[in-house]
Amino acid sequence: MRLDTTYTVNTPEGIALELSPAGPVVRTLAWLVDLSIRAGVSLLIIILLAFMGSLGIGLAMILIFLLEWFYPVWFELRSQGQTPGKRLLNIYVAQLDASPISPAASVVRNLLRVVDFLPFFYGFGLASCLLTKRFQRLGDLAANTVVLHKSLPVLSHREFSASPEPANVALALPEQQALILFAQRQSTLTAERQQELAILTESLVTHKTDPAAHLRNIASWLIGKHE
């Protein structure tokens, strides 16, 4: 059972997504994993360039500087908000509304790590996490971002009738969650309302005679994929 608080975001389709911010402990563990990776790569760079003498050491310092500052930005923008450490701990960084993190937000939140680190070992960052209900450090507050648990609702194929079928486009985590919640609510929506909501997904249901059924098929496939 998580002790982290949750909050709800309403999608344009009228579906409520319940999001679970990641607390300081799991974020610290992810940071330690990433720190270990950066330390290992930095050591390798020094070893490989040491034979060049002072020039090699200078180049190594430049590369280590770039690694330290742009390692998280690179992974957050290319891996759906997850550095290797976050992926291992099954968390990810996103905008406050759960949309994918923007390049500007990623740069801002990571440049402000130097402030979060003060006065010693992320003192300000830890205090900010403990004082904000969504566990946001100062960089997150400035960039309007939040670190979330990457988990999908636990749901069995038996809870709705569908034949698993993959989507024809890549789906972000919030989109996957919305589809599964849509399938969960099958019994609470009229057939007409289901079709209205399904049509709003546009490209997902193009040329489908039964858009709602097709979305339930995708949701069923997603459940099987993540179980």
Side-chain angles (χ1 to χ4, degrees), residues 155-167:
L155 188 62
S156 162
H157 292 292
R158 295 186 296 274
E159 293 188 40
F160 58 87
S161 176
S163 300
E165 181 180 352

Side-chain angles (χ1 to χ4, degrees), residues 61-130:
M61 292 301 101
I62 293 174
L63 291 176
I64 291 172
F65 173 83
L66 294 175
L67 174 68
E68 177 65 25
W69 288 104
F70 292 102
Y71 167 97
V73 175
W74 170 268
F75 282 107
E76 287 175 2
L77 296 181
R78 295 183 63 89
S79 301
Q80 297 184 326
Q82 290 184 301
T83 60
K86 288 185 176 68
R87 183 177 297 276
L88 182 64
L89 274 296
N90 205 33
I91 59 177
Y92 71 107
V93 61
Q95 300 298 146
L96 202 56
D97 61 359
S99 61
I101 187 171
S102 68
S106 181
V107 170
V108 168
R109 76 182 300 273
N110 285 293
L111 285 180
L112 285 179
R113 281 189 297 140
V114 66
V115 179
D116 283 305
F117 191 84
L118 298 173
F120 177 74
F121 201 70
Y122 282 95
F124 286 159
L126 177 60
S128 179
C129 282
L130 295 176

